[in-house]
């Protein structure tokens, strides 16, 4: 049966993954057109004359964390279909299992944790040690039923879980359940971008979240001061509620007939005041050694001699073995590196095949002091820039040739840049770092300056005529910058001369 | 030339089919993301607080049958883009050739018939016996033209036709002509779901039908009492009209220059009062033996020793040989079977490759007395449940954690369940059977209980913390039900004990 | 680095191209469903009761050419998402480098020129002769900087450029920069169809153009008399502006630090009054011999003994070698040919793989004197008919069975025909020629008459019953026309008899 289920799911989810596995040489073919990005309903509001770099407008507290939501009622969020959320999970906190009707991509800004992704039909290939014992009375209020006592001692089996850490990019398909536990010592902070215009989300422009546990919606606590009256029902749908709270006791009791009445009440989240991030008790999840190692290897400091062969977790094949995370800091994800200006790391459908299916991707850009990137535009995606460190100045120009943004940006802000709009960023004195989340599995950027620029590709005479300048000036325009995408700041002629000798 | 045409069509239609044929081992890769499911325009009406199980709201009579249309102006129909129609063809009736600008999927609820699907560019591989004679004067009012007398004796050639029967699922691409003849003794009843949000339908949210024969729209008869004043022009587009009625006589006469003037008038449907389902005269279509046999084989009672080798119909290759029907009752389509609770049969892009292209699929669920299915949700599709037998109770819970439907359903009703919404069904004393038509070529369902449930996939400690219960209770919650998807009703402990001994 | 960039771009753009190259035998599989064609927002205006054959409603003059725009605020343009533009470039004119947020397809109606397409990350494989010298002072007003004098003598490198000519079809992906130079002696006239409903265009229903040079929008000159007051901002977005004009001097100066201040001002298009088509000076672009030859070969009169081996331009592989043009007049693009009635040439994803990705295609139809085509309908696309020669009569019938167009069409007009609508065209005394631009990479047409018609595919008895005629008449209806798609005009019996003897 599970084979059948697996097969069935593979048909849905694993388009690219399958083919990538079967034909590794085909990997470069990757990106099927991302189909179904659809026009937005609010087209009359899409005459974007001004962008804003914004911080979350709403804050919802839970027992062990906070959910912060960006106002998605601005023209740029509405028109791009982006919904952005930051989740802070305190040490020991557990973000309850949930799914969304839209696909999303998450960037882990800080901390470490353990995450589970539930793929329907995949086997429970992880098991706890057989000596694992179930606490008999850790919470005095639960009764015991002797009949299942021996069953308990058999240990627990569940689907794959994995370690997540700062710098990770984690994609999530629509309808797939995920949960996250912070088992580190610091807050686990992540930023999530949901794609409300995805063809995977079928109903309307609202993103809907569905929780499998926790309180019903009526009981959601809110920090009053942050709540703004104009917030519509959209946010309610986004925040979601425990779907089990909507089913009647008899139905749940019939389904889960071995558990006692109190548990049924707990399933429905009655009187649960903890919110959607709860403080976990006695939660010690073991992530397999080789997963940890994989991480370390990525960090470049693999501890030798320790690694097992792995692959001992049983039947893991095809899509059930799909990767659901990728770390920006893996050297193979570095896309551009300029020791004088900065670097660009990319996680797209090449490095994480499921992104081909979700049509989402991410870039991490580090600019050193005063360095500059752009102007450049996205050919096939909108992007949301989330600033993770430092500050800088940004200018964005739209189709009317007017500047629609010309301001400073700083840590914690999001700036949405629509497809085709040209953007230039210049780091401040402390440098500038940000993550770009984009609604394409393989977002392509076209830079105006530098060695890979569009000007380079055009004959000198065409440039000369286009700009009404001499071919000599056109030549300089075209060939002045030998750097790629990220540029070191303007230097005096002396500095430049020195460099010329040392490099060329 | 026809090779060229065929090639050309293959490019359009046969995406999956082709690849499936070329690489059988790739079949499991099937479902490319279904691209282009688009957001609905009426997003502000998509705050679905209440679903309704409904029967057709409108009824249009023809000479030999009835067309019944569900009101698609409700939030759930509008928001999912579903349009549902039930067609009843009386014995001897012929549903005239037509096409739609949206793809659709049809379930044959009762009866048997013969259907033709016209694929542009495919050869006419079926021919009648050479001794076939054309009636010279069966309808006295037609004149004779001696010049084509000898041509008539050459027999008739046409594209493939096939037998359809109760339990069949029949997909239809946008723009492709189909016709259906009831050659059985009972009414041929079918239910069709059109996907108005499909990327194949390009114009607006209205589904449009185009007939190649029959009366022009002005003359459509209607049963007055059922016609509701609020019905918009949408239904008119859905019902369609004879497109030939719009062309001028000279054009048609120039095109069909061999036929007489009266025939031209008939082409345009002038004074035709029969509607779109007409009573056929002298219509004896022969479906090849092996097609019939295939059917019998599927039914499990193949008559041995009778079968020819088939394949004698000439050039049938590639997409021109594409299957356009699949019967639910074929054992290989059984997906879940529980002798104590029921079964689920599925027709999706695995079993019928063209569904990959159309992004539609179907499930047939049989629940025995008092059995239960769910709660479960669709990850990647909306579904329309059409009850074919019995009655039962259904509860649906949305993203707000509130019940949006909690009522009985009975034969002939349709209940639309949006993506992500969790639904549970419990059969009544007579059992409950229904068909789910879904807008994904491979709809994935995630059950909350049972051996393939989402709870199974989550570590016990995570469940314990999520629900604030003991790990012991969590263990029971997770492992209580060993059944898959369909569950037998709650039993007393005695019954259970007996089973434990007999099964385990 | 450029390898990396190339790889990255290949993921986006080259879906089909890649596979076609890797598996030539798979080419016929071509058309993945075109995903993401989306419903239009203005659905309530899509009740199309009347179509109009129209000429451009707006005319914008530049220094060396004219841009003419069809009013896209009519129901048929709005509902199909089509935007049509005709560009006339005078001899010596240069259409400045630009990109659009929507994909488009261009038909070259007249003249010849040179075009460049800039694919991000592809190498600059074309170089001018090393003896090429940069004019030192052709425009006295530019200062000289001695330091780059020697650099200038190294010659120029740029990406591939190619010759375009009458009859060419040229596809353009969203976000990709193109420029065009008329190096011929006649006006270079082309018609472009942009697909505002494409999934590649993400923002709203407006098509946006972005120029890399030229004046800022404020300065756009307009021929007052043609400007109609009801024109909305949509056209402004379509016309676009120089995006560099929106960036501040310092930013540009920092980026292009070798050029002088005046050049920066020129980059921003300050005081530039030339518009977007400028008169080029000293622009002599060399297109490689084998490109020219390829063209001649296509014309059928290849000059023998002259051809070099080509392929000397360096690394041209995979998508960087993608074809961006195809000529209608190439014999292999002829799809239907009837020496008595006319011919149909097609450029689709078969002949130009990138069209699979863009989901656009084109047909060129030539009808001889009084010949007729149709009725036929598009299964999976809307089409825009642009008349290039002669005149004729056209009738279009919609889903309501009513004629929505019945009028003459003539050179220079566009008639938009929605998906599913049946259209018939009859040439006048001078014959009739037109181009159909369609929003599908492989548009399928279904003819009602002729040897590949839908009537042919249906059994005689079904036709007889459908139209309530005798089987004999039905047989004649079905088999009367032996021609394919294009039909010669009605002839007297004598003519017909003569033909019968000479042909059959």
């Amino acid at each position: 049966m599970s084979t059948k289920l697996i097969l069935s799911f593979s048909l849905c989810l694993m388009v690219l993954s399958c083919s990538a596995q079967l034909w590794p040489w085909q990997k470069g073919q990757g990106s099927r057109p991302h189909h179904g990005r659809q026009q937005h309903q609010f087209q009359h509001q899409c005459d974007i004359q001004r962008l804003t770099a914004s911080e979350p407008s709403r804050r919802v507290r839970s027992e062990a964390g906070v959910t912060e939501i960006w106002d998605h009622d601005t023209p740029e969020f509405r028109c791009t279909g982006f919904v952005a959320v930051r989740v802070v999970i305190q040490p020991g906190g557990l973000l309850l299992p949930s799914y969304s009707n839209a696909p999303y991509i998450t960037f882990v800004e800080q901390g470490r944790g353990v995450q589970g992704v539930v793929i329907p039909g995949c086997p429970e290939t992880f098991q706890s040690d057989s000596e694992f014992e179930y606490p008999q009375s850790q919470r005095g209020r639960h009764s015991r039923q002797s009949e299942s006592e021996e069953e308990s001692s058999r240990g627990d089996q569940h689907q794959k879980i994995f370690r997540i850490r700062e710098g990770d990019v984690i994609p999530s398909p629509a309808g797939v359940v995920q949960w996250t536990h912070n088992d580190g010592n610091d807050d686990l902070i992540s930023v999530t971008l949901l794609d409300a215009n995805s063809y995977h989300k079928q109903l309307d422009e609202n993103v809907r979240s569905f929780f499998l546990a926790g309180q019903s919606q009526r009981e959601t606590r809110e920090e009053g001061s942050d709540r703004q009256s104009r917030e519509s029902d959209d946010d309610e749908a986004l925040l979601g509620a425990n779907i089990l709270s909507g089913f009647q006791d008899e139905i749940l009791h019939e389904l889960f007939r071995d558990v006692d009445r109190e548990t049924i009440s707990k399933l429905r989240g009655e009187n649960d005041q903890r919110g959607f991030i709860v403080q976990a008790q006695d939660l010690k999840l073991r992530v397999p050694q080789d997963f940890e190692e994989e991480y370390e290897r990525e960090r470049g400091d693999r501890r030798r001699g320790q690694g097992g062969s792995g692959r001992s977790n049983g039947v893991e094949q095809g899509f059930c073995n799909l990767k659901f995370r990728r770390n920006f800091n893996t050297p193979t994800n570095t896309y551009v590196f300029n020791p004088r200006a900065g670097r660009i790391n990319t996680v797209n459908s090449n490095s994480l095949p499921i992104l081909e299916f979700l049509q989402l991707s991410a870039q991490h850009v580090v600019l050193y002091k005063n360095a500059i990137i752009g102007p450049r535009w996205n050919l096939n995606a909108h992007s949301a820039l989330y600033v993770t460190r430092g500050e800088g100045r940004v200018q964005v120009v739209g189709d009317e040739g007017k500047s629609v943004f010309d301001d400073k940006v700083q840590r914690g802000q999001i700036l949405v840049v629509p497809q085709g709009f040209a953007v230039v960023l210049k780091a401040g004195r402390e440098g500038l770092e940000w993550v770009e989340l984009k609604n394409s599995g393989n977002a392509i950027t076209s830079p105006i300056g530098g060695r890979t620029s569009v000007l380079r590709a055009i004959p000198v005479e065409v440039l000369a005529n286009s700009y009404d300048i001499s071919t000599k000036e056109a030549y300089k325009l075209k060939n002045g910058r030998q750097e790629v995408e990220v540029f070191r700041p303007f230097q005096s002629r002396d500095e430049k001369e020195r460099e010329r000798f040392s490099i060329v």
Side-chain angles (χ1 to χ4, degrees), chain A:
Chain A
M1 173 48 51
S2 77
T3 306
K4 185 86 193 218
L5 284 167
I6 286 170
L7 203 72
S8 163
F9 187 71
S10 90
L11 294 186
C12 158
L13 200 59
M14 295 309 76
V15 179
L16 201 262
S17 169
C18 279
S19 58
Q21 271 178 261
L22 297 169
W23 321 299
W25 42 270
Q26 187 203 347
K27 246 188 144 170
Q29 180 237 11
S31 165
R32 298 205 175 77
H34 71 271
H35 14 75
R37 197 60 30 87
Q38 60 253 139
Q39 276 183 261
H40 200 276
Q41 287 74 7
F42 300 85
Q43 67 284 349
H44 289 303
Q45 302 170 27
C46 287
D47 182 23
I48 294 171
Q49 299 290 342
R50 186 126 316 270
L51 300 172
T52 312
S54 60
E55 275 146 31
S57 67
R58 192 177 167 194
R59 201 177 148 85
V60 180
R61 266 218 71 82
S62 291
E63 183 186 52
V66 175
T67 307
E68 296 170 309
I69 305 173
W70 269 262
D71 179 9
H72 45 276
D73 210 23
T74 65
E76 62 258 43
F77 273 97
R78 279 272 174 220
C79 292
T80 56
F82 283 170
V83 174
V85 177
R86 182 164 53 199
V87 175
V88 179
I89 306 177
Q90 294 166 4
L94 170 68
L95 177 61
L96 297 180
S98 68
Y99 59 95
S100 167
N101 69 339
Y104 53 96
I105 190 166
T106 299
F107 164 71
V108 181
E109 187 178 357
Q110 177 195 299
R112 50 180 280 156
V114 174
Q115 190 170 77
V117 176
V118 179
I119 307 181
C122 284
E124 285 77 41
T125 50
F126 276 41
Q127 49 190 72
S128 60
D129 300 344
S130 58
E131 69 265 29
F132 183 87
E133 275 188 274
Y134 290 86
Q136 296 290 327
S137 57
Q138 77 196 68
R139 287 156 204 248
R141 58 188 182 279
H142 299 292
S143 68
R144 261 155 261 176
Q145 281 177 278
S146 57
E147 55 175 302
S148 56
E149 205 105 344
E150 55 166 11
E151 284 179 350
S152 300
S153 64
R154 288 184 204 154
D156 182 38
Q157 297 183 331
H158 55 82
Q159 284 193 11
K160 190 165 68 176
I161 61 177
F162 51 90
R163 154 98 27 234
I164 61 171
R165 254 178 106 150
E166 183 183 326
D168 275 346
V169 174
I170 305 162
S172 304
V176 164
V177 170
Q178 296 200 346
W179 53 265
T180 307
H181 173 53
N182 180 355
D183 65 349
N185 299 318
D186 300 314
D187 282 356
L188 174 60
I189 303 177
S190 63
V191 174
T192 291
L193 185 81
L194 300 108
D195 183 5
N197 277 355
S198 168
Y199 64 94
H200 293 283
K201 195 188 61 56
Q202 305 197 347
L203 210 51
D204 56 17
E205 97 282 15
N206 292 327
V207 169
R208 288 149 208 269
S209 295
F210 302 79
F211 279 84
L212 288 180
Q215 64 207 3
S216 64
Q217 194 175 39
R218 277 149 304 223
E219 306 168 45
T220 308
R221 273 180 298 167
E222 176 111 20
E223 299 195 346
S225 57
D226 292 319
R227 184 76 170 101
Q228 295 171 28
S229 57
R230 73 177 162 66
E231 300 279 357
S232 69
D233 289 338
D234 301 6
D235 279 352
E236 300 309 319
L238 175 60
L239 287 169
N242 179 357
I243 53 170
L244 295 181
S245 73
F247 289 104
Q248 301 198 335
D249 272 9
E250 313 95 89
I251 291 278
L252 296 178
H253 187 58
E254 179 146 10
L255 192 66
F256 305 108
R257 51 190 172 184
D258 287 333
V259 304
D260 54 34
R261 285 278 168 190
E262 191 183 346
T263 295
I264 296 295
S265 160
K266 293 282 192 183
L267 283 179
R268 303 182 67 233
E270 285 165 11
N271 304 316
D272 192 333
Q273 299 295 326
R274 300 175 301 165
F276 294 118
I277 306 169
V278 304
Q279 190 62 44
Q281 314 281 344
D282 301 304
L283 185 47
K284 301 245 175 293
L285 296 165
R286 304 199 187 180
V287 181
Q289 199 65 35
D290 55 341
F291 276 75
E292 295 280 3
E293 257 178 43
E294 182 187 46
Y295 172 76
E296 298 302 342
R297 201 181 316 134
E298 285 179 356
R299 302 290 284 191
D301 58 355
R302 184 186 182 180
R303 295 173 226 137
R304 279 171 194 79
Q306 216 196 83
S309 67
R311 303 297 171 204
S312 57
N313 290 316
V315 193
E316 285 188 299
Q317 295 184 348
F319 65 93
C320 285
N321 205 8
L322 245 204
K323 270 192 177 304
F324 274 94
R325 61 168 283 278
R326 186 93 198 174
N327 198 283
F328 267 136
N329 302 320
T330 310
T332 56
N333 292 333
T334 301
Y335 166 74
V336 167
F337 176 56
N338 181 339
R340 283 199 185 74
R343 67 171 188 274
I344 306 177
N345 287 13
T346 301
V347 173
N348 58 21
S349 58
N350 280 338
S351 39
L352 206 50
I354 196 177
L355 291 174
E356 169 63 29
F357 174 65
L358 303 185
Q359 286 301 326
L360 293 166
S361 61
Q363 256 188 348
H364 186 218
V365 185
V366 175
L367 282 192
Y368 302 154
K369 176 183 171 183
N370 296 332
I372 190 170
I373 187 172
R376 58 179 199 162
W377 71 89
N378 282 302
L379 274 71
N380 58 346
H382 303 304
S383 70
L385 283 66
Y386 174 74
V387 181
T388 54
R389 209 186 64 72
E391 60 159 33
R393 177 156 162 240
V394 181
Q395 203 182 356
V396 183
V397 175
D399 56 286
E400 299 181 18
K402 289 181 217 150
S403 174
V404 295
F405 185 86
D406 186 3
D407 207 346
K408 286 202 169 176
V409 294
Q410 61 192 36
R411 179 172 180 164
Q413 290 182 327
I414 284 184
L415 174 66
V416 172
V417 180
Q419 180 196 20
F421 283 44
V423 57
V424 62
L425 299 100
K426 185 173 167 58
R429 281 206 237 157
E430 314 289 309
L432 179 65
E433 294 183 21
W434 70 94
V435 170
E436 297 189 18
L437 303 173
K438 309 186 184 191
N439 63 346
S440 164
N442 202 309
I444 306 299
T445 308
S446 192
I448 288 174
R451 213 169 70 219
T452 56
S453 79
V454 61
L455 296 186
R456 270 290 176 109
I458 297 177
V460 157
E461 299 97 317
V462 172
L463 291 181
N465 275 288
S466 294
Y467 295 119
D468 191 20
I469 55 178
S470 69
T471 48
K472 190 167 173 180
E473 278 293 288
Y475 187 91
K476 286 190 287 182
L477 186 67
K478 185 174 166 172
N479 297 295
R481 280 279 186 183
Q482 297 299 326
E483 294 160 298
V484 174
E485 299 220 13
V486 290
F487 308 117
R488 62 186 186 283
F490 189 86
Q491 297 164 300
S492 70
R493 181 158 302 189
D494 284 354
E495 284 176 311
K496 211 167 119 198
E497 286 301 315
R498 250 179 284 127
E499 253 174 48
R500 180 176 292 234
F501 283 99
S502 60
I503 300 180
V504 182

